[in-house]
Amino acid sequence: MEILLIGGLWLDGSAWDRVVPALEQLGHRAVPITLPGQGAGSASATLDDQLATVLAAVDSSSEKPMVVGHSAASTLAWLAADARPERLAKVVLIGGFPSAGGARYADFFELKDGVMAFPGWGPFEGADSADLDEETKRSFASAAIPVPQGVAHGVVRLADERRFDVPVAVVCPEFTPAQAREWIEAGDVPELAKAKHVEFVDIDSGHWPMFTKPSELAQLLAAQA
């Protein structure tokens, strides 16, 4: 299967460098996506620009691809399901959940000079970063790409209820499947509460398993494919 890989905030396509060959060894075609404003294009990029890039990858696939969104990009993957419900085989969400329509895409940290820079590791102390060694943390921080305001504050627009027919797998790194179910049942994730086919998969990692557990993540994604 063709597997489209979308990294979360501050990441470009190179975030998947250790996952791609592992997926290919398992017989799949892995396509890491470098997004406008996060490795391609300028700081004026918008959420619509990023979605257009994802949809171009979906449209160019010769088959129904599986779209993988990490962290905030879980919403971007879900936007792809909304825009192309008949073209996706599955959506996989790693360490994140889709925002509801009308919400801002990633209004998490302070903007300065039109971008949202990586805020340092303070906000991610604990389970998020517990499995990252100091070298990986330094490498991540030095390579982190500030996210354009037009992306971070882009408004999520959902229109096609056929998105709820697309199968979804929620990969649970720093939280458990039980916690994810609890949040959905409590109404915290209304989009997944309406999805008709949702499964939960555990992975023993922090928030960035593509760096700390690439082989395990590849095997998990191959199983979903």
Side-chain angles (χ1 to χ4, degrees), residues 4-117:
L4 307 181
L5 302 166
I6 315 169
L9 301 176
W10 312 297
L11 300 174
D12 63 13
S14 68
W16 305 97
D17 279 355
R18 296 170 64 196
V19 177
V20 168
L23 277 172
E24 291 177 344
Q25 287 180 356
L26 294 167
H28 298 282
R29 180 169 181 254
V31 182
I33 296 178
T34 292
L35 298 167
Q38 287 178 237
S42 70
S44 64
T46 66
L47 180 60
D48 287 344
D49 294 333
Q50 292 199 346
L51 178 58
T53 295
V54 174
L55 294 181
V58 170
D59 292 342
S60 67
S61 177
S62 60
E63 58 188 69
K64 288 186 176 182
M66 183 171 82
V67 178
V68 179
H70 166 256
S71 191
S74 294
T75 296
L76 197 50
W78 193 239
L79 284 166
D82 180 71
R84 299 287 190 276
E86 75 290 347
R87 286 282 296 132
L88 302 192
K90 179 179 277 189
V91 169
V92 178
L93 313 176
I94 302 174
F97 301 93
S99 297
R104 283 181 171 179
Y105 177 67
D107 189 12
F108 302 140
F109 301 102
E110 180 183 2
L111 292 170
K112 185 176 181 180
D113 298 327
V115 296
M116 185 173 66

Side-chain angles (χ1 to χ4, degrees), residues 127-144:
D128 282 347
S129 62
D131 62 342
L132 292 171
D133 59 33
E134 290 305 314
E135 181 179 350
T136 303
K137 285 183 177 180
R138 284 194 297 270
S139 176
F140 182 109
S142 65

